[in-house]
Amino acid sequence: MTPIRYLLRHCAASLDWTLLDAGSGRTLSHHPTRDAAFRQLAGDASVLLCGAIVRVHSVDGGFEGEREVAAIAPTSPPPRRAPEARRQPPAPAMA
């Protein structure tokens, strides 16, 4: 799946960090620190499934870099054995 894209910007008026949807520019949440924003993303179910790419802007508004939040690959249950695949007794030895 394609990673979800976000923007993380510092808000000078409220002195917090704003997480935005990169596609629509819609504000998703406010956080006291950058790390708090990444902790929230790391616990989001859709981010765990798809991963995320976050473009981080610094306090002065300039582009600082991108950070990636890795997706966690879903674990599949162990394969089930078919009933006919049960262990068969060994065939008698031929003389």
Side-chain angles (χ1 to χ4, degrees):
M1 286 190 214
T2 305
I4 304 168
R5 300 182 82 64
Y6 295 100
L7 298 173
L8 185 62
R9 293 186 174 154
H10 187 262
C11 179
S14 60
L15 300 177
D16 63 356
W17 291 87
T18 306
L19 190 64
L20 304 130
D21 181 337
S24 67
R26 184 175 56 105
T27 299
L28 301 173
S29 57
H30 294 272
H31 304 275
T33 64
R34 281 191 272 187
D35 289 338
F38 281 101
R39 279 195 304 273
Q40 184 260 334
L41 282 176
D44 187 325
S46 59
V47 171
L48 291 174
L49 183 63
C50 301
I53 297 174
V54 183
R55 292 180 57 94
V56 181
H57 292 263
S58 63
V59 175
D60 64 0
F63 176 70
E64 188 173 295
E66 281 188 351
R67 286 182 59 184
E68 186 173 336
V69 178
I72 296 176
T75 58
S76 58
R80 295 181 63 187
R81 293 186 353 183
E84 62 273 359
R86 291 187 183 145
R87 186 178 174 118
Q88 300 292 328
M94 298 182 85

